[in-house]
Amino acid sequence: MNKLAIIPLLLGLGWPVLADEQHHAEHHSSTQISQSIEFRHAWVRAAGEQQITAAFVQLRSAEDKQLVAVHSDLAEFNEVHTHSMVDGMMQMREISHIDLPANQWVNLQPGGLHLMLINLQRELTPGEEIPLQLLFADGEQLSLPFQVMERTYLPEAEHHSEHDTEMHHGHHGH
Amino acid sequence: MTMSRLLLITSTILLALLVANTLWIFRPGQIAAAKQASAAEVELESAIGSWQLASLEPEQYALIFFGYHRCPDICPLTLAHLGRAYQQLPIDLQDRLQVVMVSVDPRLDDWQELFAYPPLFHPSFKAVAGETEQVDQLVAHFEAFYRVVDLPSSGLGYAIDHSPGLYLTNHRAERLLTLVSDDSHYLLTELKTFFGDQP
Ligand SMILES: [Cu+2]
């Protein structure tokens, strides 16, 4: 675990995007959080009575890594999830890990890979920032600040991901 | 065998074939029409009382989709895209288009919380819930699917796999357009095209 990487985050210096600029978050450059991992656009969807919500982030590692778990004090269960289309149905399942191939941005985003926070202990209000701890297969552990965004929030589309092209079709009915 | 006996058998067979043929020709159409009528009359509950497609005005449309209140990512994503597309529709089209989320988890969803959920994305959006048999009838009519899946190792306990489609329909429950998309620009374009083609 890279303790040095976490110190600037605790001091609030590791995250250049303030709450009042959050709608510009997509345009900000990434933040180096350890010797090998960069992240950008870390956000979590606000949650009320549902007590379940999803968190998203874009990650790039300088070497091959695997994200294997997420932890937080805010939720009873913290899981790594993905969506896939099976038998014409969108299904969401827990997965054991997310591969981070060297030097490649991996996007956790709505409708795809995400971190799932289940049985939240309290409501998450837009504008606040919550820490989530990411655990990697090699034992590295990082604490990242996630911006709480409105439930209506949509990240500016990363239009060229596989997921988008897969979903961009409609067909006329009868 | 006498001639008259043979004639009787032959004519009976011919008559039987004719009757069978008649049924064969008319049955599927009649069944389809009956199914459509019953889908329009499926009665569910909304925040302001009972809801059914049949109670839409003839010039109104409904864009329905299946989901559930505890649906943690796909439903808010769908609603957010719909909200964005809907806000960009001309006001007169907004007045003719009702966005309706149909709960496929009517037993576990808290209905009051469910009803309060879509309006977060646009004040006119609504959610409906009801008896499982009624919901299933709508699901089948739109050729959508869902299934409840136990996830014992996940903190969720279960999830509901469901079709992500958006079904444009009317007071007769006609299936006018099916959209599958996670892009609000695409939804907006398709809806404008559809309404542009309407008289
Ligand atoms: Cu999930």
Side-chain angles (χ1 to χ4, degrees):
Chain A
M1 172 169 153
N2 190 338
K3 288 202 178 73
L4 283 177
I6 295 176
I7 291 167
L9 292 173
L10 292 174
L11 294 173
L13 303 173
W15 181 246
V17 184
L18 300 173
D20 58 347
E21 329 176 302
Q22 63 197 15
H23 49 285
H24 299 306
E26 296 91 21
H27 310 296
H28 278 256
S29 56
S30 63
T31 305
Q32 191 82 33
I33 46 168
S34 76
Q35 285 170 343
S36 70
I37 296 175
E38 288 169 275
F39 80 103
R40 60 188 183 196
H41 202 206
W43 65 283
V44 56
R45 192 182 280 118
E49 324 83 1
Q50 286 109 328
Q51 298 181 313
I52 301 176
T53 198
F56 311 93
V57 64
Q58 300 176 5
L59 295 167
R60 181 166 68 179
S61 173
E63 57 201 59
D64 288 351
K65 264 188 190 288
Q66 282 187 339
L67 173 64
V68 292
V70 54
H71 281 313
S72 79
D73 295 333
L74 290 162
E76 184 182 355
F77 303 100
N78 302 271
E79 300 177 359
V80 181
H81 278 201
T82 195
H83 279 102
S84 49
M85 194 71 138
V86 178
D87 302 334
M89 286 176 273
M90 191 54 108
Q91 65 178 38
M92 184 178 80
R93 294 291 183 271
E94 189 180 6
I95 49 174
S96 61
H97 65 273
I98 294 173
D99 280 316
L100 301 180
N103 299 313
Q104 215 172 293
W105 280 106
V106 173
N107 296 349
L108 280 66
Q109 59 187 10
L113 295 166
H114 58 279
L115 308 173
M116 188 111 272
L117 312 183
I118 302 157
N119 297 350
L120 289 162
Q121 312 294 315
R122 61 172 178 88
E123 296 199 0
L124 301 182
T125 315
E128 69 171 315
E129 195 178 277
I130 62 160
L132 295 180
Q133 289 79 46
L134 306 188
L135 262 75
F136 297 88
D138 60 6
E140 187 170 358
Q141 202 171 339
L142 294 169
S143 182
L144 300 192
F146 282 68
Q147 293 283 333
V148 180
M149 305 299 270
E150 298 281 355
R151 279 185 278 196
T152 53
Y153 173 74
L154 287 170
E156 283 320 314
E158 285 88 25
H159 274 296
H160 307 291
S161 71
E162 271 177 22
H163 175 73
D164 275 36
T165 46
E166 209 173 84
M167 292 287 283
H168 277 187
H169 60 87
H171 54 90
H172 290 264
H174 306 250
Chain B
M1 197 179 279
T2 64
M3 194 54 135
S4 63
R5 183 87 191 255
L6 191 65
L7 269 174
L8 183 67
I9 292 169
T10 314
S11 54
T12 307
I13 291 170
L14 278 173
L15 189 68
L17 281 173
L18 196 70
V19 169
N21 199 31
T22 309
L23 289 175
W24 181 250
I25 290 167
F26 288 105
R27 250 186 157 167
Q30 284 168 342
I31 289 169
K35 267 189 180 166
Q36 194 169 293
S38 61
E41 275 146 31
V42 161
E43 204 170 322
L44 300 170
E45 282 297 311
S46 77
I48 52 163
S50 86
W51 174 92
Q52 57 179 180
L53 285 171
S55 59
L56 289 170
E57 300 295 331
E59 72 281 3
Q60 275 188 315
Y61 296 87
L63 188 60
I64 72 170
F65 70 98
F66 300 98
Y68 58 115
H69 181 240
R70 283 170 61 86
C71 164
D73 186 38
I74 291 296
C75 300
L77 177 64
T78 301
L79 280 163
H81 281 295
L82 276 169
R84 203 175 267 198
Y86 192 87
Q87 278 161 19
Q88 292 173 71
L89 282 175
I91 297 291
D92 58 317
L93 291 187
Q94 288 186 13
D95 290 343
R96 291 167 64 196
L97 182 65
Q98 207 176 81
V99 172
V100 183
M101 171 173 165
V102 181
S103 172
V104 290
D105 197 10
R107 284 173 305 133
L108 289 177
D109 272 348
D110 178 309
W111 288 16
Q112 293 315 312
E113 287 175 5
L114 171 77
F115 296 156
Y117 186 51
L120 296 174
F121 298 83
H122 190 277
S124 74
F125 289 4
K126 62 171 71 177
V128 296
E131 299 293 326
T132 304
E133 303 77 59
Q134 303 276 74
V135 171
D136 288 353
Q137 207 177 330
L138 268 192
V139 170
H141 177 68
F142 289 102
E143 292 179 354
F145 313 96
Y146 77 94
R147 66 179 165 217
V148 182
V149 183
D150 282 330
L151 300 175
S153 69
S154 164
L156 290 174
Y158 75 102
I160 300 185
D161 300 348
H162 58 93
S163 303
L166 303 166
Y167 307 93
L168 187 70
T169 185
N170 59 11
H171 68 292
R172 286 198 291 261
E174 285 179 280
R175 288 164 26 188
L176 302 166
L177 185 65
T178 301
L179 298 167
V180 181
S181 173
D182 64 353
D183 182 290
S184 44
H185 301 287
Y186 172 82
L187 288 178
L188 183 64
T189 309
E190 287 292 305
L191 289 171
K192 277 184 168 168
T193 305
F194 176 83
F195 285 110
D197 292 343
Q198 299 304 298

